[in-house]
Amino acid sequence: MTERAQRIAENVERFVRDVVVPYERDPRLGSHGPAEELVIELREKARAAGLMTPHILDDGTHLTQRETAIVLIKSGLSPLGPVAVNTMAPDEGNMYLLGKTGTAEQKARFLAPLVSGEARSAFFMTEPAADGGAGSDPSMLQTRCERDGNHWVINGRKAFITGAAGAKVGIVMAKAEEGASLFLVDLPNPAIVIERVLDTIDSSMPGGHSIVRIDNLRVPADQMLGEPGDGFKLAQVRLSPARLSHCMRWLGSVTRAQEIASEYACRRHAFGKPLIDHEGVGFMLAENLIDLKQSELMIDWCASVLDSGELGTVESSMTKVAVSEALMRTADRCVQVMGGTGVSGDTIVEQVFREVRAFRIYDGPTEVHKWSLAKKIKRAHAGR
Ligand SMILES: Cc1cc2nc3c(=O)[nH]c(=O)nc-3n(C[C@H](O)[C@H](O)[C@H](O)COP(=O)(O)OP(=O)(O)OC[C@H]3O[C@@H](n4cnc5c(N)ncnc54)[C@H](O)[C@@H]3O)c2cc1C
């Protein structure tokens, strides 16, 4: 590991533990995420500490994926850490996509305010199940775009759009004859109506997750990313790194849950000895340690594949499944070790357990990844 990444990771860890953790019980934290005022306050502190968007360097270049991993894991030590230092989803993936595929003008207008942490963004792809739109199967995309002179006009509905409420930048996927395309849009926008913010299992993402209606949204042609029909190809650029960065942040959060559960098990006594000395409890914490280490190693393996220039679609599928399932098991065991305290709001273990559950669904449910891996196995064996 490079010295520069180690230094950034150490600084991020210190900042999250000393400055961010005390905010974990702030009354401005609601069921739809931290209030805007709290996001701004946390980001001012991160900026003052020189830790805003720590995985993107001053010259605009990114740390490598292996370097990013050790930084993002530390940012995840608190569910509020990625919000504070601007390593959160969907912004981190959106910045990556814009950095790789935007024109100079698009980067100056849409990427710069994201990197500085002044603006937040949203990625509009999923559509409501009730409309028969795109979910696990993106080819079911229903949102349409039509050319009108030097503009495109977009109509449709979207679902689960993280951070749409309060975002300044949107990346919208819509379909024309040429296929799916991605558009950069300014938010808020009168043609993009937030119908409602969903009540979900998680609560740490600013703006929550919204159902959105797009009514005759006019977008200048130069705000399209790439060429007409490039949508799925460009989404692939974002896909593997974004999946992997979820693994990184969640590894940080579940590692902290394990710290809290271990401390509890060493301190709390039952039947004449500390809980950890009861084999049933000690084994749960030991299994956690194994799952955490395996997650770390898979992240590092997948990151090195991406660093070698590969798209890493298969590797990121395998890593996403393995890590999301391992971290879910680990968070569950942390709750169990802590008894009633584990399900109370007295520690973040309860929040981590709740929130990591959704990670088995977004960026591809476990079953969809396994199904696509099975198809590849079948293809590899065809004709043998
Ligand atoms: C917290 C959260 C945040 C999100 N943020 C965003 C966002 O910012 N932008 C965005 O565009 N989307 C977002 N999403 C949407 C997310 O990407 C979708 O939920 C996901 O792609 C699954 O689609 P779906 O919910 O419609 O599930 P469905 O397509 O209805 O699938 C339901 C279940 O069917 C099973 N299934 C589906 N296909 C197969 C298969 N081939 N083989 C076996 N089983 C299968 C799986 O178990 C799956 O969980 C978010 C979702 C969540 C939960």
Side-chain angles (χ1 to χ4, degrees), residues 90 122-127 129 133-137 158-163 200-202 205 209 238 358 360-368 371-372:
F123 191 76
F124 297 71
M125 181 162 145
T126 305
E127 298 169 338
S136 299
D137 182 357
K158 296 285 181 184
F160 290 101
I161 307 307
T162 304
T200 52
I201 202 166
D202 61 317
M205 309 302 296
H209 316 282
R238 183 186 189 279
R360 290 178 56 213
I361 293 171
Y362 54 72
D363 274 24
T366 294
E367 297 71 30
V368 175
W371 168 76
S372 111

Side-chain angles (χ1 to χ4, degrees), residues 272-293:
K273 54 187 178 183
L275 286 176
I276 196 163
D277 290 341
H278 292 280
E279 193 174 271
V281 174
F283 274 21
M284 281 198 274
L285 292 168
E287 283 162 13
N288 283 358
L289 215 56
I290 295 164
D291 270 335
L292 290 169
K293 180 50 84 178

Side-chain angles (χ1 to χ4, degrees), residues 86-281:
N86 201 21
T87 55
M88 68 180 190
D91 301 66
E92 186 270 335
N94 291 342
M95 287 188 276
Y96 186 86
L97 176 65
L98 270 168
K100 290 276 180 204
T101 65
T103 62
E105 293 75 33
Q106 288 171 343
K107 286 183 195 174
R109 182 164 157 206
F110 295 101
L111 176 60
L114 293 180
V115 175
S116 70
E118 290 153 58
R120 291 195 289 100
S121 63
F123 191 76
F124 297 71
M125 181 162 145
T126 305
E127 298 169 338
D131 299 356
S136 299
D137 182 357
S139 71
M140 290 164 70
L141 197 72
Q142 295 203 336
T143 301
R144 299 280 153 196
C145 57
E146 273 176 39
R147 215 188 278 263
D148 180 15
N150 206 22
H151 283 72
W152 289 84
V153 181
I154 306 177
N155 281 288
R157 282 176 86 225
K158 296 285 181 184
F160 290 101
I161 307 307
T162 304
K168 298 253 169 52
V169 175
I171 304 179
V172 178
M173 185 177 273
K175 203 169 172 181
E177 273 170 24
E178 298 89 339
S181 298
L182 290 173
F183 297 90
L184 291 162
V185 299
D186 292 302
L187 297 174
N189 191 310
I192 300 187
V193 179
I194 294 182
E195 292 185 349
R196 65 192 172 98
V197 182
L198 292 158
D199 291 324
T200 52
I201 202 166
D202 61 317
S203 53
S204 62
M205 309 302 296
H209 316 282
S210 294
I211 306 275
V212 171
R213 195 176 69 250
I214 305 177
D215 270 338
N216 288 320
L217 171 69
R218 288 181 68 78
V219 186
D222 62 5
Q223 285 177 217
M224 181 184 275
L225 269 178
E227 299 297 320
D230 273 356
F232 288 135
K233 193 177 83 191
L234 296 180
Q236 289 281 328
V237 172
R238 183 186 189 279
L239 200 68
S240 296
R243 273 178 199 160
L244 196 58
S245 57
H246 279 304
C247 296
M248 298 168 188
R249 288 181 294 261
W250 281 120
L251 175 57
S253 295
V254 179
T255 298
R256 173 108 176 283
Q258 165 79 347
E259 287 172 13
I260 295 168
S262 303
E263 156 71 17
Y264 184 91
C266 292
R267 192 171 28 87
R268 174 80 163 147
H269 283 66
F271 305 100
K273 54 187 178 183
L275 286 176
I276 196 163
D277 290 341
H278 292 280
E279 193 174 271
V281 174

